[in-house]
Amino acid sequence: MTTGKDPIPLQSHEGESDVENEIAELERRLAAAKAKRCCSSRSRVELSSLLEQPLSRPDLSHHFHLLLSDSALPLGSFAFSSGLESYLAHGHKSNPYHPHTSFAAFLPLSVSSYASTTLPFVLSAHRNPTLSNLAELDDAQDASIICTVGRRASIAQGRALLGIWERSFSPSLSPTSSPVSAAARDDLKSFALLVKKGGGSKETPDASAHLAPLFGAICSVVGLSLQQTAYIFLFGHVKALVSAAVRAGMFGPYQAQKILAGDTVQELITEMIKREWETRVEKAGQNVPVMDLWFGRHEVLYSRIFNS
Amino acid sequence: MNSPFPKSTSVPGEGHLVAKLLPEGISGLETFTYQYPLKLISPSRPSEDESVLVFLLSYGGGLVAGDQVNLKVDVRPKAKLTIVTQGHTKVFTSTSPDIVTRQDMHVHIASEGALCLLPDPVQPFAGSVYEQTQIFRLEDNASICLLDWVTRGRTARGEDWSFVRWVGRNEIWTIPTAEGDGKTESRERLLVRDAVILDSNRSHPELATLRDSMHGVGIVGTLLLRGPLVKSVGDFFLAEFAALPRLGARDFRSDAAKQAAALAHSTPREKWRAERLVMERDSKLLWSAANVRGCVVVKFGAPEVEDGRLWIGSMLQEEGSISHHFGDHALMCVR
């Protein structure tokens, strides 16, 4: 590899034997460094195992954190674009308001609007996941989603989550050893019954199973912190938006991951959680009025790939 | 000794209105009190008697920073009340963001009573801070028609969503009828909570400014409808929304075929609709309508305030039942 024509100027004046010596020296140093690495990594393992014992029992909240933030959680989120598709259609050249649509402009607006209308319901349900509060929040949210398309999306995903709880999560939690209390399970069970029974009038059903309050309650029951719950909830919204943008052909999967990993999304979510931390559900509301128009007018799109 | 002037309550900005059905079968006022800065006027010799008309005014034509208006309205069984304004409700600049100008309305509508509230839009000036809460509690078969709209401000002075904060919240509740027959639902129930929060405080630099987030819209409005007297107008909005041309659909017909189809608009309604659609397109007005728990919620937005007014006026006039039930005076602010 090293010859007289070696491009590195330092070596170009050196003789054959110097080069041989240098190789030998480098090889020796490499071997030494490898040995050192071996030792130090062993000692690190030893150190960490001293500090941190393997868990005698799985950390349930950590496990559910992963489950609930997984894109594979079958909520059907991929079917909804949260107004993105309609926003793009309205940004067409025949466009009323905006000739230039961009995902970079839509994302912060959408997250802000979603946080302002919906996050308080998640937070309240997490703080008090009892049956009475859950039912009340569900009813209040049903009254405050003032568009057919949004209501459809919220109920479809909420019912899917309730189904996952009933069929998958709840049966897999050991009734004796898991930290999930029997009372909490009973509350969710009664809520599911309320939804199934379909009581109340057609106008005002007893329970609809909207996503936000159920998400808050279930996260609370499996031990996720309020902050974690809020973060997963808003990040889930961002993931759904980004995936919708990929499906709508706005950009590819690498760009999608770049957006998801970026500082902007992290800071945005953190700021939105801070903004809505104390907001009572009665004070929640729409802060981007045109979002309601785009959302509501998803119904009048000629062709649609999403349900919202 | 009856004073010809309505009594004043003692708390500033408080007012109370009670509409009842008079023996001769028309609606009239039973109670009618107000206190500065709120002002109520009811014409003594009304030209129409479908409903009793009240002007909701404020001294000086607007609300000064820190003004608190708190109006209580009761509509007795079978009475019909119409509330209008005389020009935009101006909200003057606040010297400090903590000084909130507030307007609250608590309305109770008894069985078969009705309220039509189609005011002029609220016009918040640059630097103003305004919160409005309107709560409507309806007994069985009570009706409400409510328009809540806000403009970007004084465009002549370059205002474009330049206020500090504007919050509008409307709630419709059903409540058990006073002399309940025991059959009706015994608890209060929230039907719709519509809330718009426009705040100039961006909590993150990535977020658009309030002005940018409005996307060129100069007026946004919400029409809420509930009850038997406004059922037909609600159905009308839903049907017209369903009849909107699909966005992104292409028209492959030749110009001659389009013209022929336009001429074939046989009914006046179809002709009106075709004209309205042109107007919607030209004025860049967007709207949607939805049925939410037995209430019809219409949302609209347009770059120009007058276009928004023309549109909502045209819809309500074409359908006609608001004039029929409340009289033409109910529509005076949307014409």
Side-chain angles (χ1 to χ4, degrees), chain A residues 96-97 108-109 139 142-144 148 151 203-205 264 267 271 275 282 286-287 290 297 299-300 302, chain B residues 169 189 191-193 195-197 203-204 206-207 213 215 226 246-247 249 284 286-287 290 292-293 299 301:
Chain A
Y97 296 141
L109 275 186
D139 191 48
D142 199 54
S144 60
T148 319
R151 158 176 283 101
E203 267 182 13
T204 47
T264 306
E267 287 167 17
E271 279 308 314
R275 190 185 73 191
E282 309 87 77
Q286 178 60 270
N287 64 352
V290 282
R297 290 170 61 87
E299 304 262 73
V300 301
Y302 178 69
Chain B
R169 184 174 296 109
R189 190 82 191 260
L191 290 180
V192 168
R193 177 181 284 141
V196 172
I197 302 165
S203 24
H204 189 269
E206 274 297 313
L207 284 173
S213 77
H215 286 75
R226 155 92 189 175
R246 304 291 100 172
L247 197 64
K284 299 175 178 178
L286 290 184
W287 67 285
V292 181
R293 316 213 313 166
K299 293 259 169 193

Side-chain angles (χ1 to χ4, degrees), chain A residues 68 73-75 155-172 188-189 191-193 195-196 208-211 214-215 218:
Chain A
L68 287 160
L73 189 71
L75 295 184
I155 293 178
Q157 296 177 77
R159 295 207 167 182
L161 180 61
L162 191 57
I164 294 165
W165 170 262
E166 286 268 283
R167 293 166 176 214
S168 315
F169 289 179
S170 180
S172 64
L188 281 169
K189 196 177 202 168
F191 184 70
L193 276 177
V195 174
K196 260 177 236 147
S208 313
H210 283 278
L211 178 64
L214 257 176
F215 193 86
I218 288 177

Side-chain angles (χ1 to χ4, degrees), chain A:
Chain A
M1 162 194 145
T2 45
T3 65
K5 287 177 203 155
D6 194 305
I8 301 172
L10 230 160
Q11 292 178 343
S12 62
H13 301 296
E14 287 170 355
E16 235 10 67
S17 65
D18 287 349
V19 174
E20 289 297 334
N21 284 345
E22 197 187 344
I23 291 174
E25 167 65 12
L26 285 174
E27 276 172 348
R28 194 189 56 75
R29 280 170 59 191
L30 178 67
K34 275 184 176 165
K36 219 165 148 191
R37 180 184 66 181
C38 198
C39 281
S40 82
S41 72
R42 193 181 304 141
S43 68
R44 199 163 57 227
V45 169
E46 278 160 12
L47 191 69
S48 73
S49 64
L50 278 176
L51 288 174
E52 205 179 310
Q53 296 292 331
L55 295 165
S56 53
R57 261 175 52 179
D59 179 353
L60 186 82
S61 75
H62 177 62
H63 191 73
F64 271 88
H65 190 168
L66 294 172
L67 273 173
L68 287 160
S69 55
D70 189 355
S71 303
L73 189 71
L75 295 184
S77 313
F78 60 85
F80 306 99
S81 82
S82 304
L84 176 65
E85 190 178 22
S86 180
Y87 165 76
L88 293 174
H90 283 91
H92 196 255
K93 57 184 186 297
S94 62
N95 138 328
Y97 296 141
H98 238 219
H100 309 294
T101 54
S102 88
F103 190 76
F106 186 80
L107 177 73
L109 275 186
S110 175
V111 174
S112 174
S113 162
Y114 196 56
S116 149
T117 53
T118 317
L119 191 58
F121 290 90
V122 179
L123 297 173
S124 173
H126 186 285
R127 287 174 175 133
N128 176 9
T130 56
L131 174 64
S132 63
N133 192 44
L134 185 57
E136 209 168 288
L137 288 170
D138 184 64
D139 191 48
Q141 209 191 5
D142 199 54
S144 60
I145 301 184
I146 43 81
C147 106
T148 319
V149 182
R151 158 176 283 101
R152 211 159 51 204
S154 176
I155 293 178
Q157 296 177 77
R159 295 207 167 182
L161 180 61
L162 191 57
I164 294 165
W165 170 262
E166 286 268 283
R167 293 166 176 214
S168 315
F169 289 179
S170 180
S172 64
L173 292 164
S174 143
T176 48
S177 66
S178 94
V180 176
S181 75
R185 282 163 189 254
D186 286 347
D187 277 351
L188 281 169
K189 196 177 202 168
S190 317
F191 184 70
L193 276 177
L194 209 59
V195 174
K196 260 177 236 147
K197 214 170 65 197
S201 64
K202 187 164 162 278
E203 267 182 13
T204 47
D206 282 343
S208 313
H210 283 278
L211 178 64
L214 257 176
F215 193 86
I218 288 177
C219 286
S220 170
V221 163
V222 297
L224 266 62
S225 74
L226 189 59
Q227 177 71 34
Q228 284 172 326
T229 304
Y231 201 94
I232 302 176
F233 186 73
L234 287 185
F235 192 51
H237 178 72
V238 176
K239 284 197 290 184
L241 276 180
V242 166
S243 117
V246 171
R247 291 223 299 155
M250 295 181 84
F251 44 73
Y254 287 108
Q255 176 67 15
Q257 290 305 313
K258 195 175 156 195
I259 294 172
L260 289 177
D263 286 346
T264 306
V265 162
Q266 296 176 39
E267 287 167 17
L268 195 59
I269 293 177
T270 312
E271 279 308 314
M272 292 300 105
I273 294 172
K274 219 185 275 174
R275 190 185 73 191
E276 305 303 338
W277 195 254
E278 305 279 341
T279 310
R280 303 204 319 268
V281 292
E282 309 87 77
K283 300 277 178 184
Q286 178 60 270
N287 64 352
V288 186
V290 282
M291 198 62 80
D292 276 340
L293 295 174
W294 293 327
F295 230 118
R297 290 170 61 87
H298 190 270
E299 304 262 73
V300 301
L301 300 192
Y302 178 69
S303 60
R304 282 172 267 188
I305 50 177
F306 299 102
N307 288 336
S308 88

